[in-house]
Structures are given as C-alpha cells and as structure tokens.
Amino acid sequence: MRQLLLLALVGLGAQLVDGSLGMAYGVTSTTLLLAIGANPAAASATVHLAEIGTTLASGLAHWRFGNVDWKVVAKIGIPGAVGAFAGATFLSSLSTEVAEPVMSVLLLALGVYILVRFTTFGLPRHNLGKPLRKRFLGPLGLVAGFVDATGGGGWGPVGTPAILASGRLEPRKTIGSIDTAEFLVAVAASLGFLFGLGGVGVNFSWVLALLIGGVIAAPIAAWLVRHIPPRVLGSAVGGIIVVTNVRTLLKSDWIDASDGVRYPVYVAVYVIWAAALAYSIRQYRANRAQETVEAIAAEAAGKGDKTEATT
C-alpha cells in the first residue's frame, strides 16, 4: 500500500512538472520504476499505459486554458505515434540485461540535456509567430516518439526544447500542444508494448497509481504553466534524472564501480546540480528585475510623450 501511495505521489509530481514544463513525466516516472526493480520494457509500458489517461486529462485542461495549437498537434502527433510504436516493439525485443543499462544511458542523456538546456539558455523567444512547417515537425515527432518509447520518456525533452528553440510558438502553447499530442504517442507506445510483451511484467496497480496522481495534477499544471518559472523547474528536474541514472549505471553490470569510485562521483554530481540550480534561480531573478526596470522605463517614456503632446 505504501508503494502504491508513493507511486501516486510520483505520478502527481511528475505530471505537475510535465504539465508546466512540457516534459519529464515519462523520464521521471520510468527512472523511479527502474529504481524499485521493474524491468525496462515493463517500466516503459507501465508509464505509457498511465500516460493514456494523464495526457488525455492534461490535453483537455490545456485546451480549456487556451494553451493548444491544434495544427501543431496534428503535424507532430501522428509521426510521433509511428515512432513510438516502432520504439516500443524494439525495446520489447531486448533482454532485461541489455535493456536496463541502455535505458539508463538514454535517461541520463535526456537528464543532462534538460539540465544544461534550461540552466544555460532558459526559454528562447525569438521568431515568435512564424509558422511551424510539417517538414520540421514530422521528423521531430518521429524521432521524439521513438526515443520516448525506448527510453521510457523523451517525448517532451526532445519535442518541447526543439519547438521552443525555433522561437515560433509561445511557450505556453508549445507546452500545451506537446502535452496534447503525447496522448497519441502514449496510445501507440502502449499498443506496441502490449503487442511485444503481451502484458507480461506490467503491474496494472502501478499503472492505476500513476494514473490517479497524474489526473489529479493535470488541471493544476495547466493553470500553473503561466506562473512556474520553467528555467528553475527544468534545472531541478534535469538534476534529479541525472543523479538517479548515474547511480543506476555505476551499479550496473556494465560498470560495477566500487564504493571508492561511486561516492566521489555522487558528490561531484550533487555539487554540479546544486550549482546549476542556484545559477538558474539567480538568472531568473535577474531577468525579472531587468523586465521590471524596462517596464518602468517604458511607462515613464510613455508619460513623457503624453506630456509633450499636451503642451
């Protein structure tokens, strides 16, 4: 019972992050399932089955708050579903001994990407309003869907930063559209896993626990997307994923590092993570202060123009 409650809380927390950042539900949830002993294919299948419900709830919530561009959803979601089905059937064919370190490497890479991306660059806003073309969204969806199914997460970490980096869609609509399109990816990946595994190793009570937590969090996250600083949240989530998967890899048969090697590595990773998080918070506060100064200056300039006009 305690384990199911923990999974529900993880599902709630992961969906809060995913719904407000546009990524990390699958990566966060899969990382935890691997840590408590689930085999990689079953862990990814469990998360994707739960995501059918959480992404549906999240998509509806984002739609109600006006955070969805349906053209983007169609252009990226359909190829994403194709990639996810292919990735699920591929992962199902790997043995657990091979799949676990492979998945940890993928999750670690995604965690590093999230940490570096949001700590260093924040959210770019150039080229806002220009159209996103199918020749960009189609391949992006295909790759993101494949990575999502094989890595137990990755749809958001691949898709959201790529669209944000283009600067053509405002952040809240990028996040809302990616979360909504993920419903198609979750359905396709789940079908691929059920086809490949036949349900073997999938714990449906875990699915339900993750689903309940995620559904509760979905509308809250859709509302919070306008208020949570994505830069800080991205650094925090990226660090959690890096720390957890470094630990998994160092204990895996591939490396099997001794305590004398593992603990200094853990300390180094924690120090880097803390520094990245502190930098993100500092940069966020500096940017807010700069925006306030610019707004005051603009308001003062506007009042000066009106005074000159009346005289």
Side-chain angles (χ1 to χ4, degrees):
M1 182 64 186
R2 181 181 299 175
Q3 187 180 62
L4 293 179
L5 180 60
L6 174 63
L7 286 170
L9 291 173
V10 167
L12 188 149
Q15 184 58 45
L16 277 174
V17 172
D18 189 271
S20 57
L21 188 60
M23 63 179 72
Y25 179 90
V27 180
T28 305
S29 302
T30 303
T31 293
L32 175 73
L33 291 179
L34 288 177
I36 64 177
N39 79 66
S44 189
T46 299
V47 170
H48 282 93
L49 282 167
E51 281 185 322
I52 292 177
T54 60
T55 55
L56 179 61
S58 182
L60 289 172
H62 276 298
W63 168 64
R64 291 199 62 181
F65 282 102
N67 298 336
V68 179
D69 184 321
W70 290 105
K71 291 181 181 178
V72 172
V73 171
K75 289 177 183 177
I76 198 172
I78 294 172
V82 174
F85 185 85
T89 53
F90 170 75
L91 183 62
S92 298
S93 67
L94 295 180
S95 67
T96 300
E97 291 76 14
V98 174
E100 184 168 357
V102 168
M103 182 179 283
S104 291
V105 169
L106 285 171
L107 290 169
L108 177 59
L110 290 168
V112 170
Y113 181 78
I114 293 170
L115 180 63
V116 172
R117 175 73 190 177
F118 283 88
T119 300
T120 306
F121 302 108
L123 291 174
R125 297 174 182 269
H126 58 282
N127 295 326
L128 190 63
K130 294 182 180 178
L132 286 161
R133 302 186 183 279
K134 185 182 288 188
R135 63 173 178 250
F136 166 69
L137 292 176
L140 176 63
L142 193 66
V143 171
F146 186 86
V147 171
D148 187 82
T150 54
W155 173 254
V158 174
T160 300
I163 295 177
L164 287 173
S166 73
R168 298 188 173 205
L169 190 65
E170 59 183 302
R172 68 181 182 88
K173 287 200 172 183
T174 298
I175 293 168
S177 300
I178 285 289
D179 275 6
T180 302
E182 194 172 9
F183 171 73
L184 299 175
V185 173
V187 170
S190 297
L191 290 174
F193 282 120
L194 292 175
F195 176 78
L197 297 173
V200 176
V202 178
N203 189 323
F204 288 96
S205 63
W206 290 5
V207 173
L208 183 61
L210 288 171
L211 174 60
I212 290 171
V215 168
I216 291 171
I220 302 171
W223 179 79
L224 285 175
V225 73
R226 299 172 186 240
H227 305 285
I228 295 290
R231 184 172 200 152
V232 176
L233 195 56
S235 296
V237 172
I240 291 171
I241 295 165
V242 169
V243 166
T244 306
N245 287 287
V246 163
R247 180 176 176 275
T248 300
L249 282 172
L250 289 178
K251 288 187 172 183
S252 70
D253 292 337
W254 279 12
I255 300 177
D256 193 22
S258 65
D259 290 347
V261 173
R262 289 204 311 270
Y263 291 118
V265 172
Y266 295 159
V267 171
V269 172
Y270 277 116
V271 168
I272 292 170
W273 180 23
L277 192 55
Y279 179 80
S280 290
I281 293 171
R282 188 167 61 250
Q283 288 299 112
Y284 168 70
R285 288 176 176 172
N287 291 339
R288 287 293 301 271
Q290 181 64 31
E291 289 172 2
T292 301
V293 170
E294 290 175 356
I296 293 172
E299 184 178 354
K303 289 180 179 178
D305 291 341
K306 288 180 180 179
T307 302
E308 290 179 6
T310 55
T311 57

